[in-house]
Amino acid sequence: MSALQDLPSPSSTTQASNFAHVIFQNVAKSYLPSAPLECHYTLTQYIYPHPKDWVGIFKVGWSTARDYYTFLWSPMPENYVPDSTRNGVLTFQGYYLPNDDGEFYQFCYVTHKGEIRGASTPFQFRTSSPVDELLTMEDEGHSDMLVVTTKAGLLELKIEKTMKEKEELLKIIAVLEKETTQLRQEVEQLESALSRERECSDQLVAERDGLLQASDILKAESEEVKKAGKEMSSKILQLEEDLMTVTQKAIEKETELDSLKDKLKKIKLEREQLEFQLKNEKDEKELYKVHLKNTEIENTKLLTEVQTLKNLDSSKENLITHYKEELSKMKLCLSDKEKLCTELLQTASEKEDIGFLKQQLRKIEDDQQASRQKVSLMSKELSDAVNIRDKTMADLHTSRLETESVKKQLSAALAELSLQDRQPSSNRVLRKDQELRKEVEDLKLRLQMAADHYKDKFKECQKLQKQVTKLTDQLVRIPVACLS
């Protein structure tokens, strides 16, 4: 019992000031100076630990945190949660502790800011005799036996028991705290549910009042509905008959719709085919455009050739007029030659060499006859050349008209192709496509024939030019023969 009196009570370790924020547990009245000393303390929810906090041994009567005898750093609790209690243990080694000096000491918890937030009950360091430490106690199992032990051993046993009880109590406290939090959550949920239920009850009361009023209205309306029900029954019979007719019509419409769906599928297939054909036609259109450009280039070439032929015709007309003037001059020359011949014959009769003169006259007459024949041939050739020229001019005019008609047809074909691109239709598109292809083929043939015709006319003009050069040479030779 004396050992129990040596243990400090919890109330003695707590104070009303900030010194009670850290509570030191199991502080004895005296400790051995050279033995290791364990310091047990509890951090309450009022303090927030820091790695630089420390626990020191102070001599009673200290005034500041610097009056410590020795100290150890307070380790940070593992898995620390704010606003919760944590336990800590520090072991002071024997060679750091004070000797048996008869002074009183106490543990103090000092924060990193130098504030003392906890202090223990005073204790001493003294060497005790073996007789003082011995203690007799009865055996709990056998009442007729006495057990002799030391105070320290008894204290250690009781400390172990209290530590075990403390751990169990802490476990129970943790479980109770969890249960209290759960109960608080359940209470909050129940309160919220209660408020909801109250609101629902208020709504239900209001709805009940509304329903009572509505029931009165419905009773009045029910009588009217009964009257209207009789009328509606007759109408329902009529509607059933109408419904039968409508269902028959709906079946017919469904059959028509199925047929229309089949037609729509066919139309879609035709549309895909037409789109494919339209794509091909667009490609052909591009080819037609290229061909049209080539034909236009050929037309420009032909126009240049026609212009050259016109220039040749103008030059030939000038030559023909020149040849006509030369013929008129030659005719005058022949008449002069005939006059000279008659004069020579008259003079030759007077002279002796009449035979020689006759020979000369015969030669002159033969030359005149040959020149007259050549002149007649040349006049025929000139008339033929004039006819050929007129014919070529007429052919050129007709070829111009044909080229203009070909251009118009090509422009019309292109316009039809553009209309075909804007408004494609199945049968019309195919017919127009076939017609356009035929027209394009005809235009190609006409252009080829016109080109061949122009080439032939150009060759004929070259031949006429050669004949005109020959005639000019002959006309030049005739006056020389006449003069000789």
Side-chain angles (χ1 to χ4, degrees):
M1 294 298 289
S2 61
L4 290 171
Q5 288 177 357
D6 293 336
L7 290 171
S9 64
S11 61
S12 64
T13 59
T14 58
Q15 296 179 6
S17 64
N18 290 336
F19 295 161
H21 291 174
V22 179
I23 298 168
F24 290 93
Q25 305 288 342
N26 302 322
V27 180
K29 288 183 179 181
S30 64
Y31 293 98
L32 294 171
S34 60
L37 174 60
E38 286 187 355
C39 176
H40 297 270
Y41 60 93
T42 301
L43 299 172
T44 63
Q45 65 268 23
Y46 300 107
I47 190 166
Y48 297 98
H50 191 270
K52 293 294 182 180
D53 294 347
W54 50 280
V55 176
I57 297 172
F58 289 78
K59 187 182 288 187
V60 174
W62 54 269
S63 60
T64 62
R66 296 179 182 177
D67 297 334
Y68 63 89
Y69 185 84
T70 185
F71 76 95
L72 289 174
W73 296 109
S74 175
M76 280 290 292
E78 293 182 358
N79 299 322
Y80 174 71
V81 178
D83 297 331
S84 64
T85 59
R86 292 285 176 177
N87 295 320
V89 180
L90 289 174
T91 302
F92 289 90
Q93 299 297 325
Y95 49 85
Y96 288 120
L97 298 175
N99 296 319
D100 185 3
D101 53 1
E103 297 290 336
F104 287 91
Y105 295 89
Q106 63 182 153
F107 297 113
C108 291
Y109 187 93
V110 184
T111 63
H112 65 286
K113 294 180 181 179
E115 299 173 351
I116 296 173
R117 304 294 291 276
S120 69
T121 56
F123 56 87
Q124 287 182 330
F125 291 96
R126 61 188 177 129
T127 56
S128 60
S129 63
V131 176
D132 294 332
E133 294 297 325
L134 292 174
L135 183 67
T136 59
M137 60 181 291
E138 294 180 355
D139 190 5
E140 293 179 357
H142 303 280
S143 59
D144 57 351
M145 290 180 69
L146 291 174
V147 177
V148 179
T149 183
T150 60
K151 289 180 181 180
L154 182 62
L155 287 170
E156 286 178 358
L157 289 171
K158 290 194 175 183
I159 286 166
E160 287 178 358
K161 286 181 182 179
T162 52
M163 288 298 289
K164 288 178 181 178
E165 290 175 357
K166 181 185 172 186
E167 289 177 357
E168 290 176 356
L169 287 170
L170 288 172
K171 289 179 182 177
I172 292 165
I173 288 165
V175 171
L176 289 171
E177 284 178 353
K178 288 181 182 178
E179 288 178 355
T180 52
T181 53
Q182 289 177 359
L183 288 170
R184 282 176 186 173
Q185 290 176 359
E186 289 177 359
V187 166
E188 289 176 357
Q189 290 176 358
L190 289 169
E191 285 177 353
S192 62
L194 183 65
S195 62
R196 288 174 190 169
E197 290 294 331
R198 284 176 182 172
E199 290 176 357
C200 290
S201 66
D202 295 332
Q203 289 179 358
L204 289 169
V205 169
E207 288 177 359
R208 185 190 66 184
D209 296 332
L211 288 170
L212 288 170
Q213 293 176 0
S215 65
D216 296 330
I217 296 165
L218 288 170
K219 284 177 182 178
E221 288 179 354
S222 64
E223 292 177 357
E224 294 178 357
V225 168
K226 284 178 182 178
K227 291 178 182 178
K230 292 178 181 179
E231 295 176 357
M232 291 297 290
S233 61
S234 61
K235 287 182 181 179
I236 285 163
L237 293 171
Q238 243 176 355
L239 287 169
E240 285 178 353
E241 293 176 358
D242 294 334
L243 192 93
M244 292 293 289
T245 55
V246 167
T247 50
Q248 290 177 358
K249 287 181 181 179
I251 291 163
E252 292 176 357
K253 291 290 181 184
E254 283 179 356
T255 54
E256 288 179 0
L257 196 132
D258 292 332
S259 63
L260 286 170
K261 283 180 180 177
D262 295 332
K263 288 180 181 177
L264 193 122
K265 286 180 181 178
K266 291 179 182 178
I267 288 164
K268 282 182 180 177
L269 290 171
E270 290 178 356
R271 183 183 173 186
E272 289 176 356
Q273 291 176 357
L274 289 170
E275 286 177 353
F276 182 72
Q277 289 178 359
L278 187 68
K279 187 179 179 183
N280 293 328
E281 287 171 0
K282 283 181 181 177
D283 296 334
E284 290 180 357
K285 181 182 174 183
E286 294 295 328
L287 292 172
Y288 292 155
K289 285 181 181 178
V290 174
H291 185 70
L292 182 65
K293 286 181 181 177
N294 294 326
T295 51
E296 286 178 354
I297 293 164
E298 289 179 358
N299 285 328
T300 52
K301 288 180 181 179
L302 291 171
L303 287 171
T304 53
E305 289 178 358
V306 167
Q307 190 64 35
T308 53
L309 289 171
K310 282 183 181 179
N311 294 326
L312 289 171
D313 289 333
S314 61
S315 62
K316 286 176 183 178
E317 286 178 356
N318 293 325
L319 286 171
I320 287 164
T321 53
H322 180 70
Y323 290 156
K324 284 181 179 179
E325 290 175 358
E326 290 291 330
L327 283 170
S328 61
K329 287 179 182 180
M330 287 174 70
K331 285 178 181 179
L332 292 172
C333 183
L334 286 171
S335 61
D336 292 333
K337 288 284 183 182
E338 287 178 353
K339 287 179 182 180
L340 286 169
C341 289
T342 53
E343 289 176 359
L344 285 170
L345 289 171
Q346 288 176 2
T347 53
S349 59
E350 292 177 358
K351 291 180 181 180
E352 292 178 354
D353 52 352
I354 294 168
F356 180 75
L357 288 170
K358 285 181 180 180
Q359 290 177 357
Q360 292 290 327
L361 284 171
R362 285 176 185 174
K363 286 181 181 179
I364 289 165
E365 287 176 356
D366 293 332
D367 291 332
Q368 286 178 355
Q369 189 68 28
S371 63
R372 283 175 184 173
Q373 289 177 358
K374 286 180 180 180
V375 166
S376 63
L377 289 170
M378 286 174 70
S379 62
K380 285 181 182 180
E381 287 178 355
L382 284 171
S383 63
D384 293 331
V386 169
N387 292 324
I388 289 164
R389 185 197 66 187
D390 295 332
K391 198 172 183 181
T392 53
M393 290 297 289
D395 291 332
L396 287 169
H397 183 67
T398 54
S399 65
R400 279 183 192 171
L401 293 173
E402 285 178 356
T403 54
E404 287 178 358
S405 66
V406 166
K407 285 181 180 179
K408 288 178 180 179
Q409 287 175 358
L410 283 170
S411 63
L414 289 170
E416 286 180 357
L417 282 170
S418 64
L419 288 170
Q420 179 184 359
D421 291 332
R422 291 177 185 173
Q423 297 177 352
S425 61
S426 60
N427 295 323
R428 290 178 183 175
V429 169
L430 292 171
R431 289 175 184 172
K432 285 182 180 179
D433 188 15
Q434 291 176 357
E435 290 175 358
L436 287 170
R437 285 178 181 176
K438 287 181 181 179
E439 287 179 0
V440 169
E441 293 293 330
D442 294 334
L443 290 171
K444 286 179 181 178
L445 291 171
R446 287 181 184 176
L447 288 169
Q448 189 65 34
M449 290 172 70
D452 295 335
H453 184 70
Y454 282 130
K455 288 179 181 177
D456 294 335
K457 293 296 180 184
F458 186 72
K459 287 178 181 178
E460 288 180 359
C461 290
Q462 286 180 350
K463 288 179 181 179
L464 287 171
Q465 191 173 3
K466 288 179 181 179
Q467 288 177 1
V468 167
T469 52
K470 286 180 181 178
L471 289 171
T472 52
D473 292 335
Q474 289 177 0
L475 288 170
V476 170
R477 288 174 186 174
I478 286 167
V480 173
C482 293
L483 290 170
S484 62

